[in-house]
Amino acid sequence: MVKAALVSPPSFSSLVQQFFTEYLVSQRAMSPHTVASYRDTFMLFLAFAHRRLGKPPTDLSFADFEPDLILAFLDHLEWQRHNSVRTRNLRLTALRSFLKFAARRDLSSLHHIERALGVPMKRFERPMLGYLSREEMLAVIGEPGSSWTAQRDHLLLVMLYNTGARVSEIIAVHIADVVLGVSACVHLHGKGRKQRSVPLWKSTAQEIRAWLQRNPALVADAPLLPNRDGQTMTRTNVNQRLALAVARACAAFPTLAKRHISPIPFVTPLQCICCSPG
């Protein structure tokens, strides 16, 4: 009788490599942003484990994945790196995803993995977001100026107000994503490669037409709202332009100076019933 050969369980380092190269990319087809977030989590965790255990990443095993180590890492993120509880939980989500992946490939480590998976998410209170009144919003949007930058910024704020989209969605809009027919709309590309179409108000569509007429060099695959170099605007750039618009609006609404205004609460309750600003 021929005895079956014993197969050694995969090493921790090989499972980490398979998790990123095969599972996340090939099998799950995760977005590059998600893969990058998981990668950053592992770089932080492996560096922390090295300092705490004195072991390089190549010497780690699932026996080292004690709940105390994971909890200490999460506390380090929150208190030493000053990460929010939301970020702390996102890092834990990445670790849990890897542990569930490894549990199906290293049966000999199931006990250690099960204990590590018992680390809970941290609960936190979600702050209530405020919003701008219609009059305040229109004051922030203001009137389009004569310069190229002022006209772009005005269209940027109008589209954020019209669509209620994330900043990342608005700055990712290309000329080809805008439909200016009878039923004008814009195609938005959201997180996780989710796509949706949002109707455009008549006034917004008219402003986009005027913008394209002033910028005939913009081609189909170009950003609708580029920076001076013709490249996609950054989130920081959008926040800076919004801050300038809020500062101007403070002349009519001084109370805006005491409020923290970001693109997140750019939608007013009126927009939920598609109330056009014009």
Side-chain angles (χ1 to χ4, degrees):
M1 180 180 295
V2 179
K3 294 185 178 179
L6 296 177
V7 179
S8 301
S11 65
F12 171 79
S13 56
S14 66
L15 284 175
V16 172
Q17 183 176 2
Q18 292 176 31
F19 178 68
F20 281 96
T21 60
E22 298 177 14
Y23 182 70
L24 293 182
V25 177
S26 300
Q27 298 179 25
R28 294 293 305 279
M30 293 289 193
S31 71
H33 294 293
T34 301
V35 175
S37 175
Y38 281 29
R39 175 207 62 201
D40 294 344
T41 297
F42 268 80
M43 292 178 64
L44 291 169
F45 177 75
L46 294 177
F48 178 82
H50 188 191
R51 293 192 301 269
R52 190 175 181 89
L53 303 178
K55 290 185 177 181
T58 51
D59 291 344
L60 288 178
S61 68
F62 287 106
D64 297 314
F65 269 67
E66 289 292 328
D68 289 344
L69 175 65
I70 297 177
L71 286 170
F73 168 65
L74 298 175
D75 288 340
H76 164 74
L77 294 177
E78 188 174 355
W79 301 112
Q80 271 68 55
R81 293 183 61 85
H82 307 291
N83 291 161
S84 66
V85 177
R86 187 188 300 272
T87 300
R88 169 192 171 116
N89 287 341
L90 286 175
R91 300 301 187 196
L92 179 56
T93 296
L95 293 177
R96 288 170 63 90
S97 179
F98 168 69
L99 290 170
K100 291 177 181 178
F101 162 83
R104 296 189 292 270
R105 290 160 177 79
D106 184 2
L107 299 181
S108 63
S109 299
L110 274 179
H111 175 67
H112 300 294
I113 294 174
E114 182 182 22
R115 295 185 68 242
L117 286 172
V119 175
M121 296 287 181
K122 187 171 184 178
R123 300 186 64 179
F124 63 99
E125 294 184 3
R126 297 178 182 271
M128 181 178 294
L129 292 178
Y131 59 88
L132 301 179
S133 68
R134 184 174 186 274
E135 292 73 20
E136 290 172 331
M137 187 70 251
L138 295 180
V140 171
I141 293 175
E143 296 294 332
S146 58
S147 68
W148 182 90
T149 302
Q151 292 169 359
R152 181 207 59 189
D153 293 349
H154 187 268
L155 179 56
L156 167 69
L157 299 178
V158 166
M159 291 194 66
L160 284 170
Y161 184 43
N162 185 160
T163 63
R166 298 181 179 92
V167 169
S168 59
E169 293 175 321
I170 288 297
I171 61 179
V173 170
H174 289 73
I175 303 298
D177 295 322
V178 180
V179 178
L180 296 176
V182 177
S183 301
C185 67
V186 59
H187 302 307
L188 299 177
H189 306 277
K191 296 176 64 176
R193 294 189 294 275
K194 295 178 182 178
Q195 301 183 25
R196 69 185 190 278
S197 296
V198 179
L200 294 174
W201 298 325
K202 185 180 297 184
S203 57
T204 305
Q206 291 173 349
E207 186 161 346
I208 294 176
R209 290 190 186 95
W211 170 253
L212 295 178
Q213 289 174 359
R214 298 188 193 101
N215 297 273
L218 293 177
V219 295
D221 60 348
L224 176 65
L225 301 164
N227 60 20
R228 278 293 186 182
D229 298 325
Q231 304 300 315
T232 301
M233 294 179 70
T234 64
R235 184 186 298 273
T236 300
N237 192 196
V238 173
N239 286 330
Q240 291 172 343
R241 307 316 298 180
L242 174 60
L244 292 174
V246 172
R248 289 192 297 268
C250 288
F253 295 91
T255 56
L256 292 177
K258 300 179 181 180
R259 299 169 63 181
H260 175 68
I261 300 175
S262 71
I264 297 176
F266 232 58
V267 184
T268 73
L270 295 177
Q271 187 182 347
C272 297
I273 55 174
C274 299
C275 177
S276 171

